[in-house]
Amino acid sequence: MPRVVDHDERRLQIAQVVDQLVYEQGVQAVTIREVASRVGYSTTVVSHYFSSKLEMLVFTHQVARRMAEGLIDEAVRTNRPLIETLEELLPTTEERWRNWHTWFAFWGMAPAEPDVTREWREGTSNAHHLFLRLIKSAQDAGQFPEAVDCVLAATRIQILVNGIASLVSQDRAGWPPERQKQTLRDLLQSVFPLH
Amino acid sequence: MPRVVDHDERRLQIAQVVDQLVYEQGVQAVTIREVASRVGYSTTVVSHYFSSKLEMLVFTHQVARRMAEGLIDEAVRTNRPLIETLEELLPTTEERWRNWHTWFAFWGMAPAEPDVTREWREGTSNAHHLFLRLIKSAQDAGQFPEAVDCVLAATRIQILVNGIASLVSQDRAGWPPERQKQTLRDLLQSVFPLH
């Protein structure tokens, strides 16, 4: 079905441009016209793929979170150590920092928009379920205390990772990768003592 | 100096309108024209108070964070128990939820804008220093372990509070006030054991 593939690819291509625009100029700079001009299509073509600015932003958020979801999924399949996977989610690289930036931008979108709140709920719920799988898999591999309640642990790990990322995103120079990783390791050790 | 008071009051009045607009429609809806129309001034008058959309948004962020800063400051002056102050920062009320929404929206603004990154740094650094004072004051009052390093503790408390708020902001219904407070108390107890 080449037409469908082409459709999805164009949407992805447009999402990349939206992401770049949000990074360079903020959500307030995203307009169908500006995106069309950057991607090299007419506004009519862009409107064929996205019916509104909001739909473009929701899709761009989905693309950013699917990247993180894919990363956790891969970690579970390959039995990667839990701590390595969590560290990889932190904004220690330019690419990951941009993902976090997209997420924060989206968390600041309008709660009055049902498409926004639906995507918030779906994003946080998917993340929670992936963290659950990650923890169960770490328990099976003997990397995480068996006695810990998975649901509670998944929530706490989300809190720690999001909390660290929130500080890094406001002061990138003050949070080199090693500081982020050490902070995460120390907090995990306090919250889930291995002994 | 009535003129100065008037100037500051008008800026505050405009900031409230910007805040409401960001909440209702997101950062992307903020334009000088729309703000002018809502506040009941001409665009020329609004432009007299703010030279750009960006300057309006930066000031609105400052107003939101000064509210939290005032709250911590008051807590230190009145020797309020640490846990109560931290709980009051959580998005457990409509008003506080809106503050957090404004902060997230601002954290997703463009890092290429020096005014944005300056305000990020100033916001996170002020918050850090206020948390430091809060912890020292709690130590003096015997509410917080003396042996804990204040600087490290301030950072960790920021991580926990921001992390909880990040989950609440995406799923408000799933996080009633009691769940937020209990989660914070449990995490504080793990990270800073009192015994």
Side-chain angles (χ1 to χ4, degrees):
Chain A
M1 292 188 294
R3 274 191 60 85
V4 173
V5 170
D6 184 55
H7 185 86
D8 290 351
E9 272 175 8
R10 286 221 183 165
R11 277 170 68 91
L12 275 174
Q13 184 191 3
I14 293 170
Q16 277 166 0
V17 168
V18 172
D19 206 41
Q20 180 66 22
L21 191 57
V22 169
Y23 187 72
E24 283 174 21
Q25 296 180 33
V27 174
Q28 79 279 11
V30 176
T31 61
I32 300 264
R33 184 181 300 272
E34 179 61 26
V35 171
S37 147
R38 287 188 171 220
V39 79
Y41 298 148
S42 68
T43 54
T44 316
V45 170
V46 171
S47 301
H48 171 72
Y49 293 103
F50 295 101
S51 65
S52 68
K53 208 152 77 167
L54 186 69
E55 197 195 325
M56 276 195 313
L57 285 162
V58 168
F59 182 72
T60 302
H61 182 259
Q62 281 171 348
V63 172
R65 74 174 163 86
R66 275 177 200 154
M67 185 288 314
E69 288 165 11
L71 191 147
I72 299 183
D73 202 55
E74 162 92 12
V76 172
R77 279 192 299 103
T78 60
N79 288 316
R80 226 171 144 211
L82 176 66
I83 184 70
E84 277 182 29
T85 310
L86 297 179
E87 284 177 0
E88 213 188 320
L89 291 169
L90 293 173
T92 57
T93 62
E94 173 72 17
E95 191 200 351
R96 200 65 75 237
W97 199 81
R98 281 174 175 244
N99 290 139
W100 280 101
H101 183 265
T102 305
W103 296 326
F104 286 124
F106 196 79
W107 297 347
M109 284 185 66
E113 293 285 357
D115 289 346
V116 168
T117 47
R118 191 180 311 119
E119 172 63 11
W120 280 346
R121 272 198 310 275
E122 202 175 305
T124 193
S125 158
N126 276 15
H128 182 73
H129 285 101
L130 283 166
F131 275 116
L132 262 181
R133 282 180 55 209
L134 196 60
I135 291 163
K136 282 183 188 157
S137 148
Q139 284 178 328
D140 291 345
Q143 299 162 4
F144 199 77
E146 279 284 348
V148 172
D149 176 275
C150 293
V151 174
L152 215 58
T155 302
R156 289 174 178 192
I157 287 178
Q158 276 185 288
I159 289 169
L160 300 181
V161 172
N162 287 4
I164 293 171
S166 78
L167 294 192
V168 180
S169 60
Q170 294 170 82
D171 180 20
R172 206 171 164 187
W175 284 90
E178 199 40 56
R179 183 179 180 203
Q180 297 184 40
K181 292 178 185 176
Q182 189 62 51
T183 301
L184 179 64
R185 282 192 296 262
D186 291 346
L187 282 167
L188 284 173
Q189 180 61 35
S190 306
V191 176
F192 308 108
L194 289 170
H195 309 288
Chain B
M1 292 188 292
R3 273 189 60 85
V4 173
V5 170
D6 184 56
H7 185 85
D8 289 350
E9 271 174 11
R10 286 221 181 165
R11 277 170 67 92
L12 273 174
Q13 184 190 4
I14 293 170
Q16 277 166 1
V17 167
V18 172
D19 206 42
Q20 180 67 21
L21 191 58
V22 169
Y23 187 71
E24 283 174 21
Q25 296 178 34
V27 174
Q28 80 280 11
V30 176
T31 61
I32 300 262
R33 183 180 299 273
E34 179 62 26
V35 171
S37 148
R38 286 186 171 220
V39 80
Y41 298 148
S42 68
T43 54
T44 315
V45 171
V46 172
S47 301
H48 171 72
Y49 293 101
F50 295 101
S51 65
S52 68
K53 208 153 76 168
L54 187 68
E55 197 195 324
M56 275 194 317
L57 285 162
V58 168
F59 182 72
T60 303
H61 183 258
Q62 281 170 349
V63 172
R65 73 174 165 86
R66 275 176 200 155
M67 184 287 314
E69 289 165 10
L71 191 147
I72 300 183
D73 203 55
E74 162 92 13
V76 172
R77 280 193 299 103
T78 60
N79 288 316
R80 227 172 142 209
L82 176 66
I83 184 70
E84 276 182 29
T85 310
L86 297 179
E87 283 178 359
E88 213 189 319
L89 291 170
L90 292 174
T92 58
T93 63
E94 174 73 16
E95 191 200 352
R96 201 64 75 238
W97 199 81
R98 282 175 176 244
N99 290 140
W100 280 100
H101 183 265
T102 304
W103 296 326
F104 285 124
F106 195 79
W107 296 347
M109 283 185 67
E113 294 285 358
D115 289 346
V116 169
T117 48
R118 190 180 311 118
E119 171 64 11
W120 281 346
R121 271 197 311 275
E122 201 174 305
T124 194
S125 159
N126 276 14
H128 183 72
H129 285 101
L130 283 166
F131 276 116
L132 261 181
R133 281 180 55 207
L134 196 60
I135 291 165
K136 281 181 187 156
S137 148
Q139 284 178 330
D140 290 346
Q143 299 162 5
F144 198 77
E146 278 284 349
V148 171
D149 176 274
C150 292
V151 175
L152 214 58
T155 303
R156 288 176 181 190
I157 287 178
Q158 275 185 289
I159 290 170
L160 300 181
V161 172
N162 286 4
I164 293 171
S166 77
L167 295 191
V168 180
S169 60
Q170 294 169 82
D171 179 20
R172 206 172 164 185
W175 284 89
E178 201 38 58
R179 184 180 179 202
Q180 297 183 41
K181 292 178 185 176
Q182 190 61 50
T183 302
L184 179 64
R185 282 193 295 264
D186 290 346
L187 282 168
L188 285 173
Q189 180 61 36
S190 305
V191 175
F192 307 109
L194 289 170
H195 308 289

mmCIF file of all heavy atoms in Angstrom, chain A residues 120-148:
data_model
loop_
_atom_site.group_PDB
_atom_site.id
_atom_site.type_symbol
_atom_site.label_atom_id
_atom_site.label_comp_id
_atom_site.label_asym_id
_atom_site.label_seq_id
_atom_site.Cartn_x
_atom_site.Cartn_y
_atom_site.Cartn_z
ATOM 1 N N TRP A 120 -2.478 13.686 26.778
ATOM 2 C CA TRP A 120 -1.790 13.687 28.075
ATOM 3 C C TRP A 120 -2.032 12.357 28.781
ATOM 4 O O TRP A 120 -1.091 11.717 29.242
ATOM 5 C CB TRP A 120 -2.336 14.797 28.985
ATOM 6 C CG TRP A 120 -1.811 16.173 28.723
ATOM 7 C CD1 TRP A 120 -0.727 16.527 27.966
ATOM 8 C CD2 TRP A 120 -2.356 17.406 29.241
ATOM 9 N NE1 TRP A 120 -0.580 17.890 27.977
ATOM 10 C CE2 TRP A 120 -1.548 18.454 28.743
ATOM 11 C CE3 TRP A 120 -3.422 17.719 30.075
ATOM 12 C CZ2 TRP A 120 -1.792 19.790 29.058
ATOM 13 C CZ3 TRP A 120 -3.663 19.052 30.393
ATOM 14 C CH2 TRP A 120 -2.864 20.080 29.891
ATOM 15 N N ARG A 121 -3.318 12.009 28.891
ATOM 16 C CA ARG A 121 -3.672 10.779 29.612
ATOM 17 C C ARG A 121 -3.039 9.560 28.953
ATOM 18 O O ARG A 121 -2.503 8.688 29.620
ATOM 19 C CB ARG A 121 -5.196 10.594 29.660
ATOM 20 C CG ARG A 121 -5.874 11.262 30.838
ATOM 21 C CD ARG A 121 -7.270 10.691 31.066
ATOM 22 N NE ARG A 121 -8.053 10.675 29.842
ATOM 23 C CZ ARG A 121 -8.758 11.720 29.380
ATOM 24 N NH1 ARG A 121 -8.776 12.850 30.042
ATOM 25 N NH2 ARG A 121 -9.440 11.625 28.256
ATOM 26 N N GLU A 122 -3.126 9.518 27.613
ATOM 27 C CA GLU A 122 -2.576 8.367 26.905
ATOM 28 C C GLU A 122 -1.060 8.299 27.091
ATOM 29 O O GLU A 122 -0.508 7.229 27.327
ATOM 30 C CB GLU A 122 -2.924 8.469 25.420
ATOM 31 C CG GLU A 122 -2.882 7.118 24.722
ATOM 32 C CD GLU A 122 -3.343 7.245 23.276
ATOM 33 O OE1 GLU A 122 -4.464 7.752 23.055
ATOM 34 O OE2 GLU A 122 -2.565 6.856 22.387
ATOM 35 N N GLY A 123 -0.408 9.459 27.019
ATOM 36 C CA GLY A 123 1.042 9.497 27.172
ATOM 37 C C GLY A 123 1.468 9.019 28.554
ATOM 38 O O GLY A 123 2.342 8.162 28.691
ATOM 39 N N THR A 124 0.826 9.531 29.585
ATOM 40 C CA THR A 124 1.252 9.192 30.944
ATOM 41 C C THR A 124 0.872 7.754 31.278
ATOM 42 O O THR A 124 1.612 7.032 31.958
ATOM 43 C CB THR A 124 0.717 10.215 31.972
ATOM 44 O OG1 THR A 124 1.387 10.036 33.192
ATOM 45 C CG2 THR A 124 -0.764 10.130 32.199
ATOM 46 N N SER A 125 -0.262 7.280 30.762
ATOM 47 C CA SER A 125 -0.686 5.912 31.012
ATOM 48 C C SER A 125 0.227 4.919 30.278
ATOM 49 O O SER A 125 0.653 3.910 30.843
ATOM 50 C CB SER A 125 -2.152 5.768 30.596
ATOM 51 O OG SER A 125 -2.468 4.439 30.343
ATOM 52 N N ASN A 126 0.562 5.207 29.023
ATOM 53 C CA ASN A 126 1.498 4.331 28.300
ATOM 54 C C ASN A 126 2.843 4.281 29.006
ATOM 55 O O ASN A 126 3.436 3.210 29.163
ATOM 56 C CB ASN A 126 1.733 4.853 26.878
ATOM 57 C CG ASN A 126 0.661 4.389 25.926
ATOM 58 O OD1 ASN A 126 -0.394 3.922 26.353
ATOM 59 N ND2 ASN A 126 0.910 4.519 24.637
ATOM 60 N N ALA A 127 3.324 5.444 29.416
ATOM 61 C CA ALA A 127 4.615 5.494 30.110
ATOM 62 C C ALA A 127 4.547 4.630 31.370
ATOM 63 O O ALA A 127 5.454 3.842 31.651
ATOM 64 C CB ALA A 127 4.972 6.930 30.464
ATOM 65 N N HIS A 128 3.440 4.772 32.116
ATOM 66 C CA HIS A 128 3.291 4.001 33.348
ATOM 67 C C HIS A 128 3.328 2.487 33.054
ATOM 68 O O HIS A 128 4.020 1.736 33.747
ATOM 69 C CB HIS A 128 1.983 4.376 34.039
ATOM 70 C CG HIS A 128 1.771 3.678 35.341
ATOM 71 N ND1 HIS A 128 2.489 4.008 36.472
ATOM 72 C CD2 HIS A 128 0.957 2.653 35.692
ATOM 73 C CE1 HIS A 128 2.119 3.223 37.460
ATOM 74 N NE2 HIS A 128 1.185 2.400 37.007
ATOM 75 N N HIS A 129 2.613 2.055 32.033
ATOM 76 C CA HIS A 129 2.595 0.621 31.722
ATOM 77 C C HIS A 129 3.953 0.109 31.240
ATOM 78 O O HIS A 129 4.342 -1.014 31.544
ATOM 79 C CB HIS A 129 1.474 0.304 30.726
ATOM 80 C CG HIS A 129 0.137 0.335 31.388
ATOM 81 N ND1 HIS A 129 -0.726 1.409 31.276
ATOM 82 C CD2 HIS A 129 -0.458 -0.534 32.243
ATOM 83 C CE1 HIS A 129 -1.801 1.181 32.015
ATOM 84 N NE2 HIS A 129 -1.666 0.010 32.615
ATOM 85 N N LEU A 130 4.660 0.944 30.511
ATOM 86 C CA LEU A 130 5.995 0.531 30.083
ATOM 87 C C LEU A 130 6.944 0.431 31.275
ATOM 88 O O LEU A 130 7.743 -0.505 31.375
ATOM 89 C CB LEU A 130 6.543 1.508 29.046
ATOM 90 C CG LEU A 130 5.937 1.308 27.650
ATOM 91 C CD1 LEU A 130 6.246 2.506 26.770
ATOM 92 C CD2 LEU A 130 6.504 0.036 27.010
ATOM 93 N N PHE A 131 6.843 1.393 32.206
ATOM 94 C CA PHE A 131 7.683 1.334 33.406
ATOM 95 C C PHE A 131 7.345 0.080 34.225
ATOM 96 O O PHE A 131 8.234 -0.563 34.774
ATOM 97 C CB PHE A 131 7.516 2.596 34.261
ATOM 98 C CG PHE A 131 8.392 3.738 33.819
ATOM 99 C CD1 PHE A 131 7.855 4.915 33.332
ATOM 100 C CD2 PHE A 131 9.775 3.638 33.897
ATOM 101 C CE1 PHE A 131 8.664 5.968 32.921
ATOM 102 C CE2 PHE A 131 10.597 4.687 33.490
ATOM 103 C CZ PHE A 131 10.034 5.850 33.003
ATOM 104 N N LEU A 132 6.049 -0.255 34.275
ATOM 105 C CA LEU A 132 5.629 -1.476 34.965
ATOM 106 C C LEU A 132 6.321 -2.701 34.376
ATOM 107 O O LEU A 132 6.875 -3.533 35.100
ATOM 108 C CB LEU A 132 4.117 -1.681 34.786
ATOM 109 C CG LEU A 132 3.200 -1.246 35.893
ATOM 110 C CD1 LEU A 132 1.755 -1.549 35.526
ATOM 111 C CD2 LEU A 132 3.565 -2.007 37.185
ATOM 112 N N ARG A 133 6.287 -2.815 33.041
ATOM 113 C CA ARG A 133 6.921 -3.953 32.364
ATOM 114 C C ARG A 133 8.414 -3.975 32.639
ATOM 115 O O ARG A 133 9.018 -5.029 32.862
ATOM 116 C CB ARG A 133 6.691 -3.884 30.855
ATOM 117 C CG ARG A 133 5.296 -4.335 30.428
ATOM 118 C CD ARG A 133 5.133 -4.245 28.917
ATOM 119 N NE ARG A 133 6.157 -4.979 28.188
ATOM 120 C CZ ARG A 133 6.584 -4.653 26.964
ATOM 121 N NH1 ARG A 133 6.076 -3.612 26.329
ATOM 122 N NH2 ARG A 133 7.518 -5.374 26.367
ATOM 123 N N LEU A 134 9.005 -2.782 32.624
ATOM 124 C CA LEU A 134 10.441 -2.643 32.854
ATOM 125 C C LEU A 134 10.807 -3.148 34.258
ATOM 126 O O LEU A 134 11.791 -3.868 34.450
ATOM 127 C CB LEU A 134 10.780 -1.159 32.718
ATOM 128 C CG LEU A 134 12.218 -0.713 32.544
ATOM 129 C CD1 LEU A 134 12.816 -1.314 31.294
ATOM 130 C CD2 LEU A 134 12.281 0.820 32.445
ATOM 131 N N ILE A 135 9.984 -2.794 35.242
ATOM 132 C CA ILE A 135 10.264 -3.188 36.616
ATOM 133 C C ILE A 135 10.062 -4.690 36.804
ATOM 134 O O ILE A 135 10.891 -5.367 37.415
ATOM 135 C CB ILE A 135 9.369 -2.389 37.595
ATOM 136 C CG1 ILE A 135 9.820 -0.922 37.599
ATOM 137 C CG2 ILE A 135 9.433 -2.971 39.004
ATOM 138 C CD1 ILE A 135 8.805 0.009 38.189
ATOM 139 N N LYS A 136 8.969 -5.213 36.241
ATOM 140 C CA LYS A 136 8.738 -6.668 36.348
ATOM 141 C C LYS A 136 9.884 -7.433 35.719
ATOM 142 O O LYS A 136 10.356 -8.434 36.261
ATOM 143 C CB LYS A 136 7.417 -7.039 35.666
ATOM 144 C CG LYS A 136 6.211 -6.710 36.539
ATOM 145 C CD LYS A 136 4.911 -7.148 35.879
ATOM 146 C CE LYS A 136 3.726 -6.628 36.703
ATOM 147 N NZ LYS A 136 2.500 -6.527 35.904
ATOM 148 N N SER A 137 10.331 -6.959 34.576
ATOM 149 C CA SER A 137 11.425 -7.628 33.885
ATOM 150 C C SER A 137 12.710 -7.536 34.717
ATOM 151 O O SER A 137 13.482 -8.498 34.803
ATOM 152 C CB SER A 137 11.542 -7.013 32.493
ATOM 153 O OG SER A 137 12.847 -7.010 32.047
ATOM 154 N N ALA A 138 12.932 -6.391 35.377
ATOM 155 C CA ALA A 138 14.115 -6.237 36.231
ATOM 156 C C ALA A 138 13.996 -7.149 37.461
ATOM 157 O O ALA A 138 14.994 -7.690 37.949
ATOM 158 C CB ALA A 138 14.275 -4.778 36.659
ATOM 159 N N GLN A 139 12.766 -7.321 37.967
ATOM 160 C CA GLN A 139 12.577 -8.232 39.109
ATOM 161 C C GLN A 139 12.890 -9.661 38.689
ATOM 162 O O GLN A 139 13.574 -10.398 39.394
ATOM 163 C CB GLN A 139 11.144 -8.114 39.644
ATOM 164 C CG GLN A 139 10.925 -6.835 40.459
ATOM 165 C CD GLN A 139 9.503 -6.679 40.967
ATOM 166 O OE1 GLN A 139 8.560 -7.114 40.312
ATOM 167 N NE2 GLN A 139 9.341 -6.045 42.115
ATOM 168 N N ASP A 140 12.405 -10.067 37.507
ATOM 169 C CA ASP A 140 12.684 -11.421 36.999
ATOM 170 C C ASP A 140 14.187 -11.651 36.845
ATOM 171 O O ASP A 140 14.679 -12.758 37.051
ATOM 172 C CB ASP A 140 12.000 -11.638 35.636
ATOM 173 C CG ASP A 140 10.481 -11.710 35.767
ATOM 174 O OD1 ASP A 140 9.994 -11.877 36.913
ATOM 175 O OD2 ASP A 140 9.788 -11.588 34.747
ATOM 176 N N ALA A 141 14.892 -10.583 36.462
ATOM 177 C CA ALA A 141 16.336 -10.716 36.240
ATOM 178 C C ALA A 141 17.124 -10.524 37.531
ATOM 179 O O ALA A 141 18.356 -10.518 37.509
ATOM 180 C CB ALA A 141 16.779 -9.696 35.185
ATOM 181 N N GLY A 142 16.421 -10.342 38.655
ATOM 182 C CA GLY A 142 17.102 -10.187 39.938
ATOM 183 C C GLY A 142 17.792 -8.843 40.109
ATOM 184 O O GLY A 142 18.670 -8.684 40.948
ATOM 185 N N GLN A 143 17.391 -7.827 39.290
ATOM 186 C CA GLN A 143 18.041 -6.514 39.393
ATOM 187 C C GLN A 143 17.263 -5.554 40.281
ATOM 188 O O GLN A 143 17.683 -4.417 40.499
ATOM 189 C CB GLN A 143 18.130 -5.842 38.014
ATOM 190 C CG GLN A 143 18.914 -6.575 36.974
ATOM 191 C CD GLN A 143 18.570 -6.049 35.575
ATOM 192 O OE1 GLN A 143 17.805 -5.112 35.429
ATOM 193 N NE2 GLN A 143 19.126 -6.676 34.560
ATOM 194 N N PHE A 144 16.083 -5.988 40.715
ATOM 195 C CA PHE A 144 15.216 -5.067 41.454
ATOM 196 C C PHE A 144 14.524 -5.854 42.551
ATOM 197 O O PHE A 144 14.098 -6.990 42.319
ATOM 198 C CB PHE A 144 14.185 -4.469 40.479
ATOM 199 C CG PHE A 144 13.530 -3.211 40.975
ATOM 200 C CD1 PHE A 144 14.197 -1.995 40.932
ATOM 201 C CD2 PHE A 144 12.246 -3.240 41.487
ATOM 202 C CE1 PHE A 144 13.590 -0.825 41.384
ATOM 203 C CE2 PHE A 144 11.635 -2.080 41.943
ATOM 204 C CZ PHE A 144 12.312 -0.880 41.894
ATOM 205 N N PRO A 145 14.396 -5.253 43.768
ATOM 206 C CA PRO A 145 13.834 -6.013 44.895
ATOM 207 C C PRO A 145 12.460 -6.605 44.555
ATOM 208 O O PRO A 145 11.575 -5.895 44.078
ATOM 209 C CB PRO A 145 13.709 -4.966 46.003
ATOM 210 C CG PRO A 145 14.537 -3.799 45.586
ATOM 211 C CD PRO A 145 14.777 -3.886 44.135
ATOM 212 N N GLU A 146 12.311 -7.895 44.810
ATOM 213 C CA GLU A 146 11.062 -8.624 44.525
ATOM 214 C C GLU A 146 9.889 -8.076 45.334
ATOM 215 O O GLU A 146 8.747 -8.083 44.883
ATOM 216 C CB GLU A 146 11.231 -10.111 44.895
ATOM 217 C CG GLU A 146 11.934 -10.961 43.855
ATOM 218 C CD GLU A 146 11.030 -11.289 42.667
ATOM 219 O OE1 GLU A 146 9.812 -11.058 42.755
ATOM 220 O OE2 GLU A 146 11.574 -11.773 41.653
ATOM 221 N N ALA A 147 10.208 -7.612 46.555
ATOM 222 C CA ALA A 147 9.136 -7.260 47.497
ATOM 223 C C ALA A 147 8.436 -5.954 47.143
ATOM 224 O O ALA A 147 7.356 -5.668 47.635
ATOM 225 C CB ALA A 147 9.725 -7.148 48.908
ATOM 226 N N VAL A 148 9.036 -5.163 46.247
ATOM 227 C CA VAL A 148 8.476 -3.840 45.939
ATOM 228 C C VAL A 148 7.220 -3.975 45.079
ATOM 229 O O VAL A 148 7.184 -4.760 44.140
ATOM 230 C CB VAL A 148 9.537 -2.979 45.208
ATOM 231 C CG1 VAL A 148 8.930 -1.679 44.705
ATOM 232 C CG2 VAL A 148 10.720 -2.709 46.113
#
